[in-house]
Amino acid sequence: MLVDSPPEERAAAAAAPPTRRGVRAAGLLLSAAILLLVALASIAIGAKELSLAQVWHGLFQDSGTYGDVVVGERLSRTLLGLLAGAALGLAGAVLQALTRNPLADPGILGINAGASAAVVTAITYFGVTSLRGYVWFAFLGAAAVGALVWFLGGSRGATPVRLALAGTAIGAALYGYVQAVMITDDAALGRMRFWTVGSLASATNETIVQVLPFCVVGTVLALLLARPLNAMSMGDDTARALGAHLNRTRALAMLAATVLCGAATAACGPIVFVGLMVPHAVRSFTGPDLRWILPYSTVLSPVLLLGSDVIGRIVARPGEVQVGVVTALIGGPAFILLVRRRRTTQL
């Protein structure tokens, strides 16, 4: 015990560097604090800029102007950004582990393409015009494609390569279908144009209530898969020796990624780079352990998404640039830097 140790030993123990686990835990708390600040900025910044005091009044005391702006508009937008960002980041981290490819993202399994194809079908052939209708069609499309990829990838005999190839092929075919319908149907083109760019502007409490159960279930399932996915990252034979159930783990990982990405895409449209860049960046300072990659991705992905949304509101006042455009503009150069730095360290 340190209490019974000589003063010299107690001083040496106090001066010892923190463990890697402690540093990771502290970093996770810091990331959560950054997320809180970004969320407050998302509520305070917009066409009408509000101070923190005004935000507080709008949230808890004022049912007038501030309350209408904060609670009626920005709070829903911020909450949806938190949910969608966490879902996309987790889905990306799970898919990178599942395919053993650090450059994988939710689009690699065709999930975004399935959601887009379902929405354009709903608009063109079923006359759906509201976001509430888009959500359910998009989620069903994502789920159907996830199941089809699992089946074509070999189901019980699925491997990372088969799943990636099946998802890429299905995604390409579905995006071709989407483009063909949009070109031939002006009404579909007009309605799809806003949804496909990726946006939080249409967030409502109803949308949040619709996607929240899927986000919660997908998040819990993904976090529970950290250990078996860690085992699988060392190869199938090693994973079996460690007691991992390969087929069950792959099926559950597919399910978690489909639920998470489907919910986020249904609510906001296909948003690129969040699920690709954040887990890749997180891995550079957490290492390959998914018990840390998954929580960090859950916290830091909403930071990127909400931060991009705030930037989009600032640069084009009194209008705004949609968050899907901003994440692409930020994510492209940032991801190139990450890849170049990783290549340099490997050399």
Side-chain angles (χ1 to χ4, degrees), residues 151-239:
F151 175 76
L152 294 179
S155 73
R156 290 186 176 275
T159 64
V161 174
R162 286 181 179 177
L163 292 174
L165 290 175
T168 302
I170 293 172
L174 289 177
Y175 275 128
Y177 164 76
V178 169
Q179 295 300 319
V181 173
M182 290 174 64
I183 289 172
T184 57
D185 188 335
D186 291 338
L189 175 61
R191 292 170 188 160
M192 280 288 292
R193 185 167 47 193
F194 181 77
W195 185 83
T196 54
V197 76
S199 174
L200 299 175
S202 300
T204 63
N205 291 334
E206 187 177 16
T207 304
I208 294 171
V209 170
Q210 287 176 331
V211 301
L212 179 61
F214 300 106
C215 291
V216 171
V217 170
T219 298
V220 172
L221 180 58
L223 294 176
L224 290 176
L225 290 172
R227 287 183 181 275
L229 285 173
N230 269 344
M232 289 176 58
S233 68
M234 294 183 284
D236 289 357
D237 293 337
T238 304

Side-chain angles (χ1 to χ4, degrees), residues 11 41 123 128 140 161 169 190 205 225 258 273 294 300-301 320 341:
I123 291 172
V128 177
L140 289 173
V161 174
N205 291 334
L225 290 172
T258 299
F273 274 113
L294 296 181
L300 289 178
S301 295
E320 65 178 76
R341 188 178 68 177

Side-chain angles (χ1 to χ4, degrees), residues 34-101:
I34 294 172
L35 176 59
L36 177 61
L37 292 176
V38 173
L40 290 175
S42 176
I43 296 174
I45 297 174
K48 180 179 178 60
E49 194 163 347
L50 303 177
S51 66
L52 290 180
Q54 291 170 334
V55 170
W56 179 267
H57 281 286
L59 284 172
F60 300 107
Q61 299 177 15
D62 185 11
S63 59
T65 303
Y66 295 147
D68 292 340
V69 172
V70 173
V71 178
E73 300 176 13
R74 297 185 190 172
L75 183 60
S76 297
R77 185 170 183 158
T78 300
L79 290 176
L80 183 59
L82 289 170
L83 288 176
L88 290 171
L90 257 182
V94 168
L95 290 176
Q96 288 174 14
L98 178 64
T99 60
R100 298 175 196 162
N101 180 0

